[in-house]
Each structure stands twice: as structure tokens, then as C-alpha cells.
């Protein structure tokens, strides 16, 4: 097998990579992938040539350049944790245009997702964000951001994404409120009130945990209502990893809707991860909040044998993201979900582990002890 | 006065042993009824439930009970009244009074043994039973053997805020199984004078020396036992094998040993079929398998697992990672000596219940003791603590009696 990546790319790599990027960019711009299967398999073959750790992993399943699958669903997904074990990219990671740190979950051991082309990443995130978040937006939004500021945390893919979105679609006055993991609630309240006075619709983006934190702080300040201008919206992302206070999503959205006097359909959950260039968003008009992907990103729900499960059966989520051209096209996550017959997935979140029963053994507790 | 106060201890033991004999019969109707309920509650396969019930009830014999009591208290007679003791004052091991045994989130029948010993000490005993009502059904049999048990042995289910929940301040001794937070909460509810016997969260480990990996035959013998320790009760018990240390440098390499262990796990899976699993547990095992496959592809370690991730044997996972605590999943952590194993256990703050050893070597036993283990055993016997053993590091009966000395 011809496998290599490093400072001296194999001859032909550059032209092949550029051609792929152009093709994928075109799919993103047109919001359509003429032949997903074909493109996914070609990108996969490209990665088998140039992404050595991924190629070795696939070889252990009997998959290689000489034994390519003929279906995108048969592309071996790399477990997300593998990003903590190796530089999974088709190029010299020292030359990465973007490098985002993967979350270390609660153990704090992180990896990196290296991307060769910022243009591809930007196009994928902006297209997805635009289509999911900005429908019906008549004016440019002001972005009030409860996510890491890229100035402070340049390795955060979420911060990068929101800066890009704010730059592309904002009114030029975006604000960041998370500093050293502390939320500047007073500044947020002041800015939200000013936007209301100026009648500038806003987009508030944050993790679920940040929103819970914000609600707690508003409650502590006896602020029962902070009405946002018409056309405002909220993007909620992420979960409660490693956090102690967990609130049900329905409860959280109800409270956000009440305080900001925002219809619940204007609260959109984004589902993404550092290991992916593209994101899923809620189809907000579905009561079940089905997550939809852009055409260049497809989910699979798999059983323990890695085979795709029928719709409605709970399994592990695998994502095939064509915009991951320079890393791994297929990713196996730690999340559970189920496919919906009409398309899309319902995300059930991370499985905390079987409730272990031992005679005195509380595995979650033991895990927690081990983490500390 | 407790309900059993005037019953000679030999009669108490005989009645308990007779009830256990009836429960040792797999066709005994109450056992048949309970078996299905336990399988439903735990998800374990019926052969595993049957095995667990056999282990409990075959072990409860008059001889074993008597031997344990004599060892801990000096004699049986001392439970019936004042008895002489060599070089010490005459004494009576009177009942502590009322005893509550609380078992939650446990495997099968964990409350029965402490309840039995509390009854041997003639206490009034209340057990917080599980939904399968195993203890309740066994106590019914006890009452058929001896009328006084109808009042002395009671079992019930309740939840923390339940109206039926007993006032724990009224008990003289409480034995409880559960997470540390649960135990702390229970302890806080007791009368200051009450005894508290807590069985907290613990794990178990094994250690294989390079000498034990001197040949495939030796390695297979060890692996057979380790597989049984791993698969029984879906690796959920405090005495299940959760991590396995193996010394490098044996004639059988760690990778080869991993393959042998995997083959033994597959055999054990036939004898003890896999429990019903949720999608989450299956997905987690599959993820561990795939991550180990990724590492193995990069030349680090090896993995042996079925396609459907029914089990996984991970060879040389990074020592920075704690045990997986997943059903039928184990990491073989390569070590150069017991010191490495101790360092691993300390790094991950693992409190040990059992330590299976491939040989009776002094430095290994010392390491096991240093690791906090309260049970050292051969592979294959880790999950079979003897009735007379000190489960959880506690004596069996001594905490359930109130000593009264007589010097007049």
C-alpha cells in the first residue's frame, strides 16, 4: 500500500487534494452532492493513500486501496478518541491551516483535528449555519456569544465557528461573554437590553451548560424577563460534559423562551464536534427535534458489529462528512441516536454507562474517582 | 427481647440450613418463581441466576455457619447465654437487637448472608429487598422451618422517601451495600450508638506472574479461571475481575495470553450466556474495541473481541487509562513487577475488594495487601468467597452481637 504523509507529500497529492476541495466546495455552494457514494469513496481512497494512521486502522479490517468498499456505509469509521492518539490527517500537521483541540471529555486528555484548508471548513460551517439559523432573518443579527472567544481560546472550534458566523452574517458588533470560563453576565444583560432598545435582533449562541449558568445568574439578579427584539434567535450546542448540574433540554428551552420572550422554534440546537467540519441542526418545526444534516454530511446509526441499523433502533452514531477531506471522512462518536425514516437523526446523547450493580460496585463512581 | 431470644442457637442454625437445602433444589417452587424475577430485574441469563442461587444456598450449611461462629465468637453456646472463655471473663454474645440490611443496586442475594448471620445472633432482622423478592421468599421458607422466624426475619421494599421506609434510628445495627454517597447518607440517619457495617464501592484485580506464563498450558489454566471471574455477573460485582496485570517476559507473550484469554471468555460465554444489554453498553464495548484496534494498528497493544462486541480483551491499554468497567471487557495491563500494579491502582484510585493471584508469592500478597484488597484468591475463585470469609473486610457475625461480661 502506498501510504504516506509528512513534510514531503507524495507526488500528485497537491493536485488531487485541490481538486477534491474544489469539488466539495462546489457541492457546498450548490447544496447538493450529485453522487454522495462516489465522492465519499474517492475521498476515502485519497485518505487511505495519505493518512497513514487511518490507513493502518482500515487495513486491520481488511480495507485498503486494493480492497476498497463499494458503499460509503462500509467505510470504517475512526473512533473520535483516536484523534487523541495520532495526527489523523493527509498532510503534514505542521502545515495545518486550522487545528482545533478535541474535548478531553472529563479526563482532560485532548487531541487535535488538523485541517489543511480553512476555505473548505469555513464554507461547510457557514452554509450549514446559514440554512439552519438564518431562515426568515430580515436584517443582520447582533451576535451575543456565550462560547469561548477565539482571541482567548484559538483552539476552540466552537469559538472559531461563531466568529466566522458573526463576521459573515452579523451587524459588526458581536460580543463575547465567556472569559476564563467565567460568564460576564452583567455585560450580557446590558448588551441584550441595548439591542432591545435599538431593536436589533440578536443571535445568542452558547453551550447548554452556559445557558443554565446564565439562567441561574439572571435568577440570582432577580431578572425574570429580558425580552429580545423580534427576529432574534438562540443557538444551543454541546452538552453538560463533566459538569455537575444537568437540566433537561425541554426545561431549558422553556425557560429560555420565557425569559427572552422568544418562540421555541427560534431556539435551535446545533450538534457538531471538533472531529467534524460540518454540523447538524434541529429541524425546529419537528416536535421531536430531529437533527438534519447538510447534503455533504450523512449519519449512520450502527450496532456493535458496525452494521447500519434500521430506522428507529438505537445505536452508536457514525458521521460521514465529505468536508473532512484532509482528515478522516468517517467518524464514530460516543453518542447514541436513532435514524428517522424520513431522514435525520434523533440524538440521545452520550451513554453514561450501564448502570452497574455490583455487590458494592458503583462503576460510575469508580470511573469518577479514576478521573480525578 | 428479640423473637429468637429463647431459641437455642443450634435450632436456629438447623432451621436456616434446612431452608437453604430446600432452596438449593432448582425445582423448589419458590426458587423457580424468584429465578424468573431475578433474571428480569438484572437482565442476567437464567443459567447465571441459577448459578448464583446455587452458590448462595449450597454454601449455607449448619457446619459452615457453626464453624464461622465458633471462629469469631469462641463457641456456639455463647449465643445462648453466659459461657466461659479461656483467660477472659465469662461472657454472653447477646443479640445487638434489631438489625437492618439494606441492599441496593446489588447483584443477586447479596443481603442474604449478612441477614443469616444476624439471625444466627438472634437479632430481629429487616432486609430492604429488591423487586425480585428473593429475600422475602427465603424468609417465608425460614418461617416454615421455625415459627419464630415469622417475627424475626422480615423483608420489604421501599424507596428513600417512601412512607413504608423504616426509621433507621430505631436499629441497633445496619449493614448496607451501595455507593459511598448512599452509605454516608444512611450512616447519617442512624442512632449514634448503632453499629454500621458499610460495603462501599470496590473493584477487583488479578495478577499473573511471568512464571505462570511459562507455557501455553499454564497460561490456559490461568485464563480459564480469569475468564470465569470476568464474565460472571457481567463484570458488575465487586469481586468481578475488572483489571488484569500480567508480567512481561514470560514464555507466553502478553498478546498470546490475550488470545488465550479471549478463547476462554468465548467458552465461558457458552456456560454463562450474556445478559440482555442496552444499546449503550454494547456501543461502549464496541468503541473500546475499535479504539484498541486503532492502537494495535499503530503497533501499540492488541485486541481480541467478537464482531458483535459481546466481549473484549484489550492487551496493554495505556496505563494512563482506568479499567473499562464494561461487561465482559478487560484490559491486560503489562507490568514488570507488583510495584507497577500498585502504581496503576494508586493512579486510578482503585479501592480493591479482591485480588486474584496466579501464585502464592510473598511479594504479590504483600502488594495485594498494600493495595487494600480484602480477599486474595486463585483465578476462577475470585467470585466465590466462602461463607466463612470476611466479606468486605468485615467479620460475619461479630458486629451483630452485644458482648456482656460477667465477673461476679
Amino acid at each position: 500500500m502506498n501510504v504516506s504523509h509528512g513534510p514531503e507529500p507524495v507526488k500528485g497529492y497537491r493536485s488531487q487534494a485541490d481538486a477534491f476541495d474544489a469539488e466539495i466546495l462546489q457541492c457546498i455552494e450548490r447544496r447538493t452532492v450529485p453522487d454522495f457514494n462516489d465522492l465519499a469513496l474517492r475521498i476515502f481512497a485519497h485518505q487511505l493513500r495519505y493518512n497513514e494512521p487511518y490507513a493502518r486502522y482500515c487495513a486491520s479490517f481488511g480495507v485498503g486501496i486494493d480492497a476498497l468498499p463499494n458503499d460509503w456505509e462500509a467505510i470504517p469509521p475512526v473512533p473520535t478518541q483516536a484523534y487523541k492518539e495520532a495526527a489523523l490527517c493527509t498532510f503534514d500537521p505542521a502545515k495545518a491551516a486550522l487545528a482545533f483541540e478535541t474535548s478531553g471529555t472529563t479526563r482532560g486528555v485532548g487531541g487535535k483535528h488538523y485541517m489543511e484548508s480553512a476555505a473548505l471548513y469555513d464554507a461547510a460551517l457557514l452554509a450549514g449555519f446559514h440554512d439552519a439559523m438564518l431562515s426568515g432573518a430580515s436584517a443582520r443579527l447582533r451576535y451575543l456569544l456565550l462560547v469561548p472567544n477565539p482571541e482567548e481560546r484559538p483552539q476552540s472550534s466552537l469559538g472559531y465557528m461563531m466568529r466566522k458566523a458573526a463576521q459573515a452574517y452579523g451587524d459588526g458588533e458581536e460580543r463575547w461573554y465567556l472569559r476564563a470560563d467565567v460568564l460576564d453576565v452583567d455585560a450580557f444583560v446590558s448588551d441584550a437590553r441595548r439591542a432591545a432598545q435599538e431593536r436589533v435582533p440578536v443571535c445568542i449562541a452558547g453551550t447548554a451548560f452556559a445557558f443554565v449558568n446564565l439562567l441561574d445568574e439572571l435568577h440570582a439578579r432577580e431578572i425574570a424577563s429580558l425580552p429580545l427584539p423580534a427576529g432574534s434567535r438562540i443557538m444551543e450546542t454541546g452538552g453538560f460534559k463533566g459538569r455537575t448540574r444537568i437540566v433537561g433540554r425541554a426545561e431549558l428551552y422553556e425557560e429560555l423562551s420565557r425569559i427572552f420572550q422568544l418562540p421555541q422554534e427560534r431556539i435551535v440546537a446545533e450538534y457538531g464536534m471538533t472531529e467534524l467540519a460540518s454540523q447538524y441542526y434541529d429541524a425546529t418545526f419537528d416536535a421531536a427535534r430531529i437533527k438534519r444534516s447538510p447534503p455533504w454530511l450523512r449519519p449512520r446509526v450502527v450496532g456493535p458489529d458496525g452494521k447500519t441499523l434500521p430506522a428507529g433502533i438505537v445505536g452508536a452514531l457514525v458521521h460521514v462528512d465529505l468536508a473532512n477531506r484532509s482528515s478522516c471522512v468517517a467518524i464514530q462518536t460516543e453518542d447514541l441516536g436513532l435514524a428517522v425514516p424520513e431522514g435525520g437523526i434523533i440524538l440521545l446523547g452520550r451513554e453514561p454507562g450501564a448502570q452497574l450493580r455490583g455487590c458494592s460496585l458503583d462503576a460510575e463512581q469508580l470511573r469518577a474517582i479514576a478521573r480525578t | 427481647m428479640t423473637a429468637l431470644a429463647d431459641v437455642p442457637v443450634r435450632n436456629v442454625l438447623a432451621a436456616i440450613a434446612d431452608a437453604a437445602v430446600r432452596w438449593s433444589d432448582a425445582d423448589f417452587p419458590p426458587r423457580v418463581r424468584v429465578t424468573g424475577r431475578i433474571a428480569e430485574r438484572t437482565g442476567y441469563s437464567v443459567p447465571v441466576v441459577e448459578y448464583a442461587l446455587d452458590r448462595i444456598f449450597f454454601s449455607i450449611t449448619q457446619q459452615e455457619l457453626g464453624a464461622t461462629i465458633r471462629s469469631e465468637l469462641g463457641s456456639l453456646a455463647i449465643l445462648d447465654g453466659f459461657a466461659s472463655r479461656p483467660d477472659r471473663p465469662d461472657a454472653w454474645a447477646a443479640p445487638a437487637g434489631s438489625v437492618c440490611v439494606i441492599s441496593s443496586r446489588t447483584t443477586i442475594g447479596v443481603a442474604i448472608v449478612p441477614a443469616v448471620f444476624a439471625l444466627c445472633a438472634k437479632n430481629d432482622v429487616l432486609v430492604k429487598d429488591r423487586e425480585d423478592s428473593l429475600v422475602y421468599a427465603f424468609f417465608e421458607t425460614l418461617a416454615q422451618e421455625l415459627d419464630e422466624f415469622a417475627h424475626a426475619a422480615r423483608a420489604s421494599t421501599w424507596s428513600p422517601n417512601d412512607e413504608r421506609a423504616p426509621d433507621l434510628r430505631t436499629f441497633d445495627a445496619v449493614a448496607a451495600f451501595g455507593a459511598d454517597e448512599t452509605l454516608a447518607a444512611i450512616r447519617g440517619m442512624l442512632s449514634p450508638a448503632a453499629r454500621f457495617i458499610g460495603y462501599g464501592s470496590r473493584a477487583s484485580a488479578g495478577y499473573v506472574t511471568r512464571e505462570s506464563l511459562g507455557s501455553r498450558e499454564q497460561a490456559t489454566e490461568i485464563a480459564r479461571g480469569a475468564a470465569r471471574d470476568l464474565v460472571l455477573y457481567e463484570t458488575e460485582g465487586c469481586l468481578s475481575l475488572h483489571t488484569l496485570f500480567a508480567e512481561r517476559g514470560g514464555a507466553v507473550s502478553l498478546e498470546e495470553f490475550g488470545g488465550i484469554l479471549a478463547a476462554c471468555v468465548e467458552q465461558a460465554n457458552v456456560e454463562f450466556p450474556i445478559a440482555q444489554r442496552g444499546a449503550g453498553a454494547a456501543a461502549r464495548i464496541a468503541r473500546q474495541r475499535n479504539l484498541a484496534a486503532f492502537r494495535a494498528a499503530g503497533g501499540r497493544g492488541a485486541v481480541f473481541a467478537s464482531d458483535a462486541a459481546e466481549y473484549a480483551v484489550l492487551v496493554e491499554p495505556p496505563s494512563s487509562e482506568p479499567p473499562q468497567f464494561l461487561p465482559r471487557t478487560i484490559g491486560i495491563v503489562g507490568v514488570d513487577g507488583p510495584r507497577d500494579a500498585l502504581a496503576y491502582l494508586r493512579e486510578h484510585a482503585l479501592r480493591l475488594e479482591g485480588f486474584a493471584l496466579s501464585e502464592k508469592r510473598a511479594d504479590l500478597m504483600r502488594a495485594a495487601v498494600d493495595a487494600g484488597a480484602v480477599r486474595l484468591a486463585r483465578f476462577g475463585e475470585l467470585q466465590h468467597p466462602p461463607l466463612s470469609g470476611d466479606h468486605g473486610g468485615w467479620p460475619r457475625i461479630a458486629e451483630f452481637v452485644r458482648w456482656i461480661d460477667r465477673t461476679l
Side-chain angles (χ1 to χ4, degrees):
Chain A
M1 188 189 302
N2 179 15
V3 171
S4 174
H5 84 221
E8 298 296 331
V10 172
K11 192 177 174 188
Y13 170 78
R14 185 72 271 141
S15 59
Q16 193 179 80
D18 289 346
F20 271 127
D21 287 356
E23 187 176 353
I24 299 161
L25 275 170
Q26 195 172 61
C27 292
I28 292 170
E29 280 161 17
R30 294 179 180 173
R31 308 291 202 269
T32 180
V33 181
D35 187 340
F36 187 93
N37 193 55
D38 172 68
L39 185 51
L41 291 173
R42 282 191 289 122
I43 292 171
F44 176 56
H46 166 78
Q47 292 175 348
L48 286 179
R49 284 197 181 88
Y50 300 112
N51 184 338
E52 185 179 345
Y54 186 33
R56 279 200 308 255
Y57 175 65
C58 294
S60 72
F61 294 98
V63 174
I65 286 292
D66 301 328
L68 281 170
N70 53 20
D71 188 332
W72 67 275
E73 296 198 7
I75 297 173
V78 70
T80 50
Q81 301 101 309
Y83 277 87
K84 300 177 178 72
E85 309 270 334
L88 283 163
C89 49
T90 59
F91 59 98
D92 177 3
K95 295 180 180 168
L98 298 170
F100 296 124
E101 282 181 358
T102 64
S103 71
T105 64
T106 40
R107 268 186 68 77
V109 181
K112 277 190 178 174
H113 184 191
Y114 299 100
M115 274 153 294
E116 192 171 27
S117 160
L120 190 55
Y121 188 78
D122 293 352
L125 78 86
L126 288 174
F129 183 87
H130 177 273
D131 296 353
M133 292 298 304
L134 300 180
S135 63
S138 53
R140 284 187 166 261
L141 304 176
R142 182 169 298 164
Y143 286 75
L144 308 184
L145 302 162
L146 315 177
V147 301
N149 187 337
E151 300 296 325
E152 191 182 314
R153 295 261 302 275
Q155 310 286 46
S156 162
S157 58
L158 181 57
Y160 179 89
M161 171 184 162
M162 289 318 302
R163 184 173 65 181
K164 281 287 162 189
Q167 286 172 347
Y169 307 122
D171 73 343
E173 291 203 37
E174 79 258 20
R175 296 283 190 274
W176 304 83
Y177 304 101
L178 198 59
R179 293 184 189 97
D181 284 338
V182 176
L183 214 50
D184 186 347
V185 178
D186 294 329
F188 172 83
V189 170
S190 168
D191 289 342
R193 284 180 173 149
R194 185 164 67 88
Q197 283 166 1
E198 295 172 5
R199 296 187 180 176
V200 177
V202 303
C203 174
I204 308 174
T207 63
F209 183 75
F211 279 115
V212 171
N213 189 207
L214 175 66
L215 292 175
D216 286 347
E217 292 295 325
L218 293 178
H219 181 72
R221 288 165 173 74
E222 298 182 344
I223 297 173
S225 176
L226 197 56
L228 296 177
S232 296
R233 50 210 73 198
I234 286 175
M235 188 192 92
E236 174 267 318
T237 186
F240 296 90
K241 279 182 285 186
R243 307 296 186 169
T244 49
R245 185 167 175 234
I246 294 175
V247 173
R249 182 151 275 130
E251 186 190 339
L252 174 63
Y253 286 10
E254 203 171 293
E255 189 64 5
L256 289 172
S257 171
R258 192 187 61 73
I259 286 217
F260 294 115
Q261 295 182 15
L262 208 60
Q264 283 213 26
E265 59 265 26
R266 288 292 179 209
I267 304 174
V268 177
E270 180 255 15
Y271 169 56
M273 57 190 65
T274 307
E275 296 85 351
L276 291 178
S278 310
Q279 295 80 31
Y280 293 79
Y281 290 89
D282 277 357
T284 53
F285 298 105
D286 293 325
R289 287 193 171 266
I290 294 163
K291 306 231 173 287
R292 311 269 184 196
S293 58
W296 58 92
L297 169 64
R298 284 192 185 177
R300 287 174 60 215
V301 179
V302 303
D305 58 0
K307 297 202 171 102
T308 302
L309 294 169
I313 307 291
V314 175
L317 290 181
V318 165
H319 308 293
V320 177
D321 185 357
L322 303 184
N324 267 19
R325 192 276 304 159
S326 61
S327 51
C328 296
V329 72
I331 301 291
Q332 174 160 21
T333 73
E334 298 185 45
D335 293 321
L336 295 180
L338 59 144
V340 178
E342 301 77 31
I345 51 170
I346 293 175
L347 176 67
L348 300 177
R350 190 166 297 187
E351 164 67 31
Q355 176 130 84
L356 303 189
R357 279 181 284 259
C359 144
S360 312
L361 171 66
D362 182 325
E364 280 307 308
Q365 186 179 40
L366 288 171
R367 285 189 192 105
I369 292 166
R371 280 172 196 140
T372 56
Chain B
M1 282 279 284
T2 62
L4 291 166
D6 294 332
V7 182
V9 67
R10 287 184 189 282
N11 295 5
V12 173
L13 265 58
I16 290 171
D18 287 347
V21 167
R22 293 169 72 186
W23 273 81
S24 301
D25 177 359
D27 294 326
F28 182 50
R31 172 167 160 164
V32 172
R33 286 192 289 273
V34 162
T35 298
R37 292 202 294 264
I38 296 173
E40 192 178 335
R41 172 178 73 82
T42 58
Y44 296 167
S45 62
V46 168
V48 170
V49 176
E50 293 283 14
Y51 180 86
L53 294 177
D54 281 352
R55 295 298 310 184
I56 294 168
F57 293 112
F58 274 104
S59 73
I60 301 175
T61 65
Q62 199 166 349
Q63 189 183 350
E64 278 286 299
L65 292 171
T68 308
I69 293 167
R70 273 189 290 271
S71 167
E72 288 189 19
L73 306 182
S75 70
L76 282 183
I78 209 160
L79 287 163
D80 287 334
F82 287 104
S84 59
R85 297 184 297 177
D87 305 322
R88 296 188 70 191
D90 293 354
W92 175 20
S98 57
V99 173
C100 184
V101 181
I102 301 172
S103 66
S104 56
R105 289 186 60 187
T106 50
T107 49
I108 300 172
V110 170
I112 285 181
V113 173
V116 158
F117 277 103
L119 289 168
C120 289
K122 305 189 189 182
N123 292 286
D124 291 332
V125 175
L126 173 65
V127 173
K128 182 183 180 188
D129 208 355
R130 304 304 312 269
E131 305 89 305
D132 50 49
S133 301
L134 166 62
V135 181
Y136 181 87
F138 179 63
F139 282 0
E140 279 192 322
T141 310
L142 281 181
Q144 289 164 11
E145 295 293 333
L146 186 70
D147 290 343
E148 283 82 352
F149 278 125
H151 301 289
R154 293 178 299 127
S156 176
T157 55
W158 66 82
S159 52
N161 299 319
D162 203 322
E163 283 180 1
R164 294 167 299 170
D167 182 353
L168 291 180
R169 286 173 301 184
T170 63
F171 290 93
D172 299 293
V174 172
F177 300 83
D180 289 354
E181 280 178 12
T182 310
L183 297 186
I186 292 171
R187 193 173 208 156
M189 290 184 233
L190 307 186
S191 140
R195 321 257 178 96
F196 180 69
I197 304 112
Y199 299 92
S201 300
R202 285 174 180 263
S204 288
Y207 192 102
V208 184
T209 62
R210 60 180 62 84
E211 289 77 17
S212 305
L213 297 176
S215 69
R216 270 192 77 85
E217 290 70 31
Q218 281 176 289
T220 303
E221 186 63 31
I222 302 278
R224 203 173 285 134
R228 177 174 278 247
D229 294 334
L230 171 71
V231 306
L232 264 175
Y233 317 124
E234 302 301 318
T235 325
E236 293 180 331
C238 61
L239 285 170
S240 297
L241 190 61
H242 298 109
T243 194
L244 183 56
F245 301 105
E247 287 181 347
R248 303 182 188 100
V252 174
S253 71
L254 297 195
E255 184 169 344
E256 192 180 357
F257 179 57
I260 294 169
L261 178 57
C264 291
V265 171
E266 291 201 349
Q267 287 166 10
N269 287 349
V270 176
E271 188 181 358
F272 302 112
I274 294 166
Q276 293 172 12
R277 279 184 194 157
R284 284 171 74 108
I285 298 170
R287 265 200 316 275
Q288 287 290 339
R289 176 198 61 196
N290 295 348
L291 180 61
F294 182 84
R295 287 170 176 154
R300 289 167 295 141
V303 60
F304 300 89
S306 60
D307 287 346
E310 291 143 325
Y311 72 92
V313 175
L314 319 174
V315 181
E316 298 238 46
S319 61
S320 58
E321 288 189 358
Q324 291 70 33
F325 295 121
L326 287 169
R328 303 188 190 224
T329 300
I330 193 158
I332 299 175
V333 179
V335 294
D336 293 324
R339 188 177 293 181
D340 292 349
L342 270 178
Y344 178 91
L345 294 169
R346 284 186 184 133
E347 181 183 352
H348 299 297
L350 290 173
R351 284 177 297 170
L352 284 194
E353 176 80 18
F355 211 147
L357 304 174
S358 67
E359 59 179 296
K360 214 169 161 179
R361 219 171 67 189
D363 62 330
L364 290 183
M365 290 191 285
R366 178 60 203 229
V369 171
D370 288 350
V374 292
R375 172 169 162 69
L376 312 186
R378 290 190 187 88
F379 281 102
E381 295 179 5
L382 193 58
Q383 303 228 43
H384 307 153
L387 185 82
S388 53
D390 304 289
H391 188 64
W394 292 98
R396 287 294 200 190
I397 194 168
E399 295 291 340
F400 298 130
V401 301
R402 176 169 59 98
W403 287 102
I404 306 168
D405 282 2
R406 185 178 66 185
T407 55
L408 48 86

